[in-house]
Each structure stands twice: as structure tokens, then as C-alpha cells.
Amino acid sequence: MNATEQRIDYTVRPGGRLSGTLRVPGDKSISHRAVMLASLADGVSEISGFLTGEDCLCTMQAFRAMDVQIEQTGPTALRVHGVGLHGLRAPAAALDLGNSGTSMRLMSGLMAAQAFATTLIGDVSLSTRPMRRVVDPLRQMGAVIETTEKGTAPLRISPAAKLSGIRYASPVASAQIKSCLLLAGLYADGITEVREPEASRDHTERMLKSFGVDVEAEPGRAALRGGQRLIAADVEVPADVSSATFFMVGAAIVPGSEIVLTAVGVNPTRTGIIEILKRMGAEIELQNPRFFGGEPVADIRVRGAGLRGIEIGAELVANAIDEFPAVFVAAACADGETIVTGAAELRVKESDRIAAMCNGLQVLGIDAQAQPDGARIRGGQLHGGSVNSLGDHRVAMSFAMAALRADGPIEILDCANVATSFPGFAVLARSAGLQIEGEL
Ligand code: S3P
């Protein structure tokens, strides 16, 4: 299960261009939530388009360990036999959530409300990520949780006498915090309300509604009353816009490229990358708009074009939070300077993404200056070289795309964690024209 046990390095030969019609795997955020909500529902839910990346498999294994019957009915299809809000059973051991921050933060809210104790553990990277952001408000609700002295996992969660709803103004725009508290709020007395400084992704709110829960949701605020039951619902998971991003950027930076990414989730809380690339001058069209349940979906056509540097401020950060490693590569290929501010959260993702990307771009000959809350990147000629992904899937895939515009091969170290979000990345990328080696 743990990707870091197996070493994968990529070597990507320079040049080439992307073409074709591609379907990237299912949305990671929606896949996690589908397993969680279907497990807590009364009745049987069918999930299609599920992401079989390691992060979502960790969530699935955790619910299986709590006695939820989850059948894999196809390569990306699950049948979940929901046990109801109070039907989870104590797991025999600690729940290992691997590299997955979403699993740990969302499940901490759920586990805090159970009548049994649990311990949540993760890999080296997850064990350094900040958990007080969820533990502190959960304690305000009455939860009993211990962290390490640094406020990190393992999280030892004991049964609470009771949980009470709170009105919480989160200092960080984070769907993980919001979703954690809403999930705890399902079990709490009264109303749980979360406000945030910028609107974060709203998949939890949309999916709770599909499962019959009455949720108040507007940009920057969500609230629900505890005690509502979930009714089983089928979930069709769209392709992940965050995974599509690597191909969008890969096509956008090479004139002559043209790709269509099919059935991509285009929830407006996730499409900051499209806005950013369009402002940089990319040619992007959304075609065939439709809905998968409560989630908007479209086919995205991208043609290579000359890009220009832009300023990206806090208002675009939350909606593109996972896309910055790829944005930094686009910036390295653009004319002029790109300035990113208001993005300090990038420092506490699967790696410190500001450091990882600026260091790697410098190795490749680009003037990339890290700032506390962002970076200044001046476009230029990318050269070959060896960069370290620091075990971060999105850093690895972003540097892979950079090779399209490099004048020598790029070696990318420590890429096994690509499997956390994008199983089959190298094979799909090769089929689209990237000259990548290193994964069967
Ligand atoms: C996620 C929320 C984001 C994102 C992560 C997935 C989610 O984290 O970076 O990859 O599924 O809720 P934050 O909410 O902490 O910004």
C-alpha cells in the first residue's frame, strides 16, 4: 500500500508535443467523500469512476477495517453497503492513511464522533503535516484527541461524552477543515457552521445533499444540523481536474500541441487553473457541459500557445491550490515574470511545494525565487538536469511536463507517490507524446 516502499525515478527526454483525447482518472477529493458518505448511509451505493490511487484506497481500507462491506465491482467501480451513521465498528488496529491528508483530516472528524477509540497514522510526509487546524476546533466541539507535541499524527482519538455544534471561523481556506467539521457536525447537537476566508472546494456540501442531508452552502460558508441520516446514493466520479492540469499545462506550453481531456470535473471551486492559464494566454475551451450528480463536468480542449507571465494573488489560490506546481512550470515557459502571492499553504502540502518547485526550476536553469507565501518566476530556457520531487506526486508530474520545453533530459527522483493520485500517469503521458521512462 505504501508507495514509498518502491523506488521509481523518471527520465523524460526533451521535446515532443501532446496530442489526443485523454481521460485522466477519477477525482481524488470526490472519490474519498464517496466512500465516506456511502459507508455512513443507509442502503447500498454504487460508485463509478472511482480513483484507485493509493490515497483513496487508504480511505477504502479504513472503512473496510471498520466493518463496512465494499465490493470492487469493476476496475473503477465500487459497491458500498452502508452501515448507517452509527454502524461503524472499532478497527482491530490503527488506521494507516498513507500519504493522504484528506483521509486523515476528514476522518478525524468522523472518528471523533464514534463510540470507540481509533488511532490515525500515516507515512513520513503525512506525519509532519499540521493537524491542529482540525484538532483544535474538534476539541471545541467536545472531541477527545491527542496529537504529538508538534500537533502532528499519530492522532489518538477517544470517544467523546458528546459533541456540540460550533460556529467556527477558520483562519485558513481549507476544504479539509470545513469537511472535517461538517462530518463531526453530523453527530453533534445543534448546528455546526464553518466560515472561511476564501471559498474552498465544496464537494462535501454537494455530496451530502445528494445523500439527502440538508446543508446550507454558499461560497465561504457551510452549515448543517446534527442528527440527519444519510440515504444511499450512486456517485459518478468525474475525471480529476487536478490530474488533468498536468496535461493542460503540457499542451499549453508547446505550440502545436492539441488535446481534449474528457469528462473533467469543472466545479467552480476547482477551476482556478483554467482561469490562470487563460490569463497567461492559453487557448482553452470547455465543451459539452453536463452534470455528474451535483458536480459540473466538461470536456476541456487545450491548444499550445505562447504564454505570458502574470500576477496571481490570494483570490485565485484556493481554487487552484493543488495546481501550483504545474503553474510554476507554465510560468517558467512564459514570457516575462509570474508572481504568486497569498499561497503560504503550499508550504504544508505533501511537500513544501514552494521550495520543491523553486529548487528544481533553478537546477533546470530558471530564475525562480521562493517567497514566504509564493514565488517570482522569470520565464526562460529550461535545461536538462536532475530534480528531486521530495516524494510529492504533483511536483513529480509537473517536472515531467517541463521536459517538453527543455533542451536536455530531465531526471526526476522519488516519483513512486505519483500512484497516490494518478495511477498510470507515465503510460497515459507517453500515449499523449511525452517521452517518459521509469514506470511500467
Ligand atoms: C482537499 C483539499 C485541499 C487539497 C487536497 C484535497 C480535499 O486541501 O490541497 O489535495 O479533498 O478536501 P486543503 O483543504 O487543506 O487546502
Side-chain angles (χ1 to χ4, degrees), residues 242-272:
S242 297
S243 298
T245 289
F246 306 107
F247 291 91
M248 284 194 247
V249 167
I253 60 178
V254 184
S257 288
E258 178 163 358
I259 56 164
V260 177
L261 295 148
T262 56
V264 181
V266 288
N267 179 318
T269 61
R270 295 285 299 282
T271 48

Side-chain angles (χ1 to χ4, degrees), residues 347-393:
R347 293 205 177 269
V348 290
K349 292 297 178 185
E350 287 82 328
S351 71
D352 175 343
R353 287 182 173 161
I354 293 175
M357 290 308 301
C358 288
N359 292 344
L361 287 173
Q362 283 167 12
V363 168
L364 302 178
I366 297 294
D367 177 7
Q369 303 300 326
Q371 311 279 317
D373 69 337
R376 301 174 81 95
I377 296 167
R378 180 164 292 285
Q381 176 59 53
L382 281 154
H383 301 305
S386 178
V387 298
N388 195 326
S389 83
L390 303 179
D392 185 325
H393 54 138

Side-chain angles (χ1 to χ4, degrees), residues 74-90:
T76 62
L78 301 181
R79 178 173 300 139
V80 182
H81 298 259
V83 295
L85 214 48
H86 299 282
L88 298 176
R89 298 276 168 266

Side-chain angles (χ1 to χ4, degrees), residues 73-420:
T73 51
T76 62
L78 301 181
R79 178 173 300 139
V80 182
H81 298 259
V83 295
L85 214 48
H86 299 282
L88 298 176
R89 298 276 168 266
L95 300 176
D96 185 350
L97 303 173
N99 193 241
S100 178
T102 306
S103 309
M104 186 166 284
R105 297 216 179 94
L106 270 58
M107 289 185 65
S108 65
L110 262 185
M111 296 302 103
Q114 304 304 313
F116 51 84
T118 37
T119 300
L120 306 184
I121 59 173
D123 70 5
V124 174
S125 154
L126 184 53
S127 302
T128 64
R129 295 183 65 189
M131 292 297 149
R132 286 200 182 109
R133 54 178 59 199
V134 287
V135 170
D136 288 348
L138 286 172
R139 284 181 179 150
Q140 287 176 32
M141 295 177 77
V144 183
I145 308 182
E146 272 176 55
T147 66
T148 66
E149 264 176 32
K150 290 186 181 149
T152 53
L155 302 184
R156 295 178 205 287
I157 306 177
S158 306
K162 77 170 181 131
L163 295 185
S164 307
I166 55 168
R167 295 187 185 273
Y168 187 66
S170 175
V172 191
S174 161
Q176 295 183 351
I177 299 174
K178 175 177 62 177
S179 304
C180 164
L181 300 181
L182 292 176
L183 292 175
L186 287 171
Y187 295 83
D189 287 345
I191 290 177
T192 299
E193 180 196 64
V194 185
R195 289 178 187 272
E196 43 187 1
E198 305 280 345
S200 66
R201 65 191 66 189
D202 63 359
H203 304 301
T204 303
E205 297 90 305
R206 287 176 192 245
M207 201 184 292
L208 280 168
K209 286 180 188 166
S210 312
F211 280 78
V213 175
D214 190 13
V215 188
E216 284 175 36
E218 58 197 86
R221 178 183 172 272
L224 56 73
R225 179 177 294 284
Q228 301 183 59
R229 63 189 270 262
L230 282 71
I231 302 156
D234 295 344
V235 180
E236 188 177 5
V237 181
D240 196 325
V241 67
S242 297
S243 298
T245 289
F246 306 107
F247 291 91
M248 284 194 247
V249 167
I253 60 178
V254 184
S257 288
E258 178 163 358
I259 56 164
V260 177
L261 295 148
T262 56
V264 181
V266 288
N267 179 318
T269 61
R270 295 285 299 282
T271 48
I273 182 60
I274 296 174
E275 177 67 25
I276 288 170
L277 288 176
K278 280 187 174 168
R279 285 195 201 175
M280 294 180 85
E283 282 185 37
I284 303 184
E285 271 170 64
L286 267 51
Q287 302 174 328
N288 195 13
R290 55 209 188 268
F291 273 84
F292 282 8
E295 293 283 350
V297 167
D299 302 332
I300 303 179
R301 179 182 293 274
V302 186
R303 291 191 188 85
L307 300 183
R308 56 181 172 271
I310 58 165
E311 291 189 13
I312 303 170
E315 74 293 347
L316 270 174
V317 168
N319 289 358
I321 188 66
D322 289 338
E323 283 59 86
F324 280 91
V327 168
F328 284 19
V329 168
C333 298
D335 281 342
E337 198 175 34
T338 295
I339 302 173
V340 178
T341 53
E345 274 294 295
L346 295 177
R347 293 205 177 269
V348 290
K349 292 297 178 185
E350 287 82 328
S351 71
D352 175 343
R353 287 182 173 161
I354 293 175
M357 290 308 301
C358 288
N359 292 344
L361 287 173
Q362 283 167 12
V363 168
L364 302 178
I366 297 294
D367 177 7
Q369 303 300 326
Q371 311 279 317
D373 69 337
R376 301 174 81 95
I377 296 167
R378 180 164 292 285
Q381 176 59 53
L382 281 154
H383 301 305
S386 178
V387 298
N388 195 326
S389 83
L390 303 179
D392 185 325
H393 54 138
R394 301 199 197 281
V395 172
M397 291 184 273
S398 299
F399 279 123
M401 290 298 169
L404 290 162
R405 283 283 298 268
D407 61 11
I410 298 182
E411 180 189 44
I412 308 156
L413 305 177
D414 201 2
C415 299
N417 276 338
V418 166
T420 61

